[in-house]
Amino acid sequence: MKPTLLILAAGMGSRYGGIKQLDQFGPNGETIIDYSLYDAIRAGFGKVVFIIREELRNDFEEVFAPKLQGKIDYDYAIQGFQSYVPEALGQIERAKPWGTGHAMLCAWQQTDTPFAIINADDFYGLEAFELVADFLKNSTDDTEHTLIAYEVKKTLSENGTVSRGVCEVNDSGYLDVVTERTKIFPQEDKIFFEENGDLTELTPETPVSMNFWGFKPSVFPITEALFTEYAHQNYNAPKAEFYIPVVATHLIKSGAGRLRVIPNASEWFGVTYPEDKPTVQAALQKLHEAGKYPNRLW
């Protein structure tokens, strides 16, 4: 059974100042999502689910449907403010989605195979898709999941701090802890994260999560239970977000699952700030020139 790819594309793009999911970066106007789709098809995925806000559906259909028809099955999952919110809490007033863990939950009905989940605005590289597809096709333990890890030195921005899930990996290659660090930056040939005004150095090879996960469908009911509890605790917090690492941490601590950390040498780059766009455009141009991608993807 071919795995499914979920794409987190419901974000507001507040720091970018626009809908970066549909912005053009490639030499022929390709979005970053185009490269993820192209690599996922090459790696053997059988379906893609775009997790989006309702108001983006027509735009996504116009951009991606002509490219995907006949190549891979596709569907949409809508991340609404009320999705999976307990009825007893009533109408929730929010200005932004509930976060990546909630987004994953919103794709439950469209997903019946092992699946990978990625950000819409990150370039991950073919090797990463091949590694996660191989794991999802061959791992027979329903409680074994995975995380594709990158070296923190390859994931920084020259235009500001970045948020990364810093990973602690045990001797067996499984994740012990993933901690969200929201202010990571280079300084004088070193890498630091800031928390409560204090600086802590990270080694350049520290594995970090770039939100490239692989899960078995058994994760959905667990995620639903966790989000129900989270919604009860945060229904008056309009900026609170329920992240995938919360689910991962629960799996590990409760013994309900484990996550194999798979390192990879793929080149990663992403878009957080408007100033990142020229860097991404130049990187994609080089990949085309090196023959990693054809002149036109579709």
Side-chain angles (χ1 to χ4, degrees):
M1 185 176 294
K2 292 184 177 182
T4 299
L5 177 66
L6 310 186
I7 300 180
L8 296 162
M12 305 291 287
S14 54
R15 285 184 288 181
Y16 188 70
I19 305 175
K20 58 184 173 180
Q21 302 95 307
L22 298 176
D23 202 357
Q24 299 179 352
F25 295 89
N28 299 295
E30 295 92 347
T31 67
I32 292 180
I33 291 177
D34 279 312
Y35 292 90
S36 293
L37 295 171
Y38 188 81
D39 286 339
I41 292 171
R42 289 198 286 175
F45 282 80
K47 181 179 179 181
V48 59
V49 178
F50 299 100
I51 306 172
I52 57 175
R53 305 190 307 276
E54 179 64 51
E55 59 266 31
L56 294 177
R57 180 164 185 154
N58 288 340
D59 290 333
F60 267 72
E61 181 71 11
E62 180 179 343
V63 171
F64 296 110
K67 301 170 182 176
L68 298 182
Q69 288 175 356
K71 298 182 179 68
I72 191 172
D73 291 338
Y74 67 94
D75 204 347
Y76 302 94
I78 304 302
Q79 185 181 14
F81 295 154
Q82 295 301 124
S83 303
Y84 288 93
V85 173
E87 291 185 8
L89 294 180
Q91 196 74 14
I92 302 293
E93 296 295 331
R94 292 183 64 86
K96 61 188 300 185
W98 278 98
T100 57
H102 177 247
M104 182 172 71
L105 182 60
C106 290
W108 189 356
Q109 299 304 313
Q110 291 81 12
T111 310
D112 57 7
T113 70
F115 65 94
I117 185 164
I118 63 169
N119 292 334
D121 52 1
D122 288 346
F123 176 92
Y124 293 100
L126 175 60
E127 180 189 0
F129 286 94
E130 291 175 335
L131 288 168
V132 76
D134 182 68
F135 171 86
L136 294 172
K137 292 174 184 178
N138 294 299
S139 172
T140 58
D141 182 350
D142 287 342
T143 65
E144 185 184 38
H145 314 282
T146 192
L147 167 65
I148 302 296
Y150 290 75
E151 295 178 346
V152 67
K153 66 182 179 183
K154 297 181 178 179
T155 72
L156 304 175
S157 171
E158 297 177 354
N159 300 304
T161 63
V162 296
S163 298
R164 302 288 181 254
V166 177
C167 302
E168 296 179 27
V169 184
N170 63 33
D171 292 339
S172 298
Y174 287 89
L175 185 67
D176 273 342
V177 179
V178 57
T179 305
E180 189 74 11
R181 303 298 186 188
T182 57
K183 294 182 179 180
I184 300 177
F185 59 94
Q187 180 176 292
E188 296 179 353
D189 297 325
K190 296 183 179 180
I191 301 171
F192 298 91
F193 71 83
E194 180 182 347
E195 188 171 33
N196 299 323
D198 296 325
L199 297 183
T200 302
E201 186 176 354
L202 295 172
T203 63
E205 292 76 25
T206 298
V208 296
S209 164
M210 302 308 300
N211 241 19
F212 197 154
W213 305 84
F215 289 107
K216 309 296 174 55
S218 61
V219 77
F220 284 121
I222 295 171
T223 304
E224 181 182 36
L226 290 172
F227 178 71
T228 297
E229 179 181 357
Y230 186 87
H232 276 288
Q233 294 173 346
N234 292 278
Y235 69 96
N236 277 331
K239 294 185 178 181
E241 294 190 62
F242 177 71
Y243 294 113
I244 292 174
V246 173
V247 180
T249 298
H250 172 82
L251 291 172
I252 296 166
K253 290 187 174 181
S254 69
R258 55 182 181 164
L259 289 102
R260 185 190 302 174
V261 178
I262 302 177
N264 85 104
S266 289
E267 183 175 3
W268 176 94
F269 44 85
V271 183
T272 302
Y273 304 96
E275 294 82 3
D276 292 327
K277 184 171 182 176
T279 302
V280 172
Q281 290 175 317
L284 290 172
Q285 180 67 42
K286 287 182 180 179
L287 290 173
H288 280 272
E289 292 173 353
K292 300 292 186 180
Y293 296 95
N295 182 44
R296 289 187 175 274
L297 294 185
W298 312 106

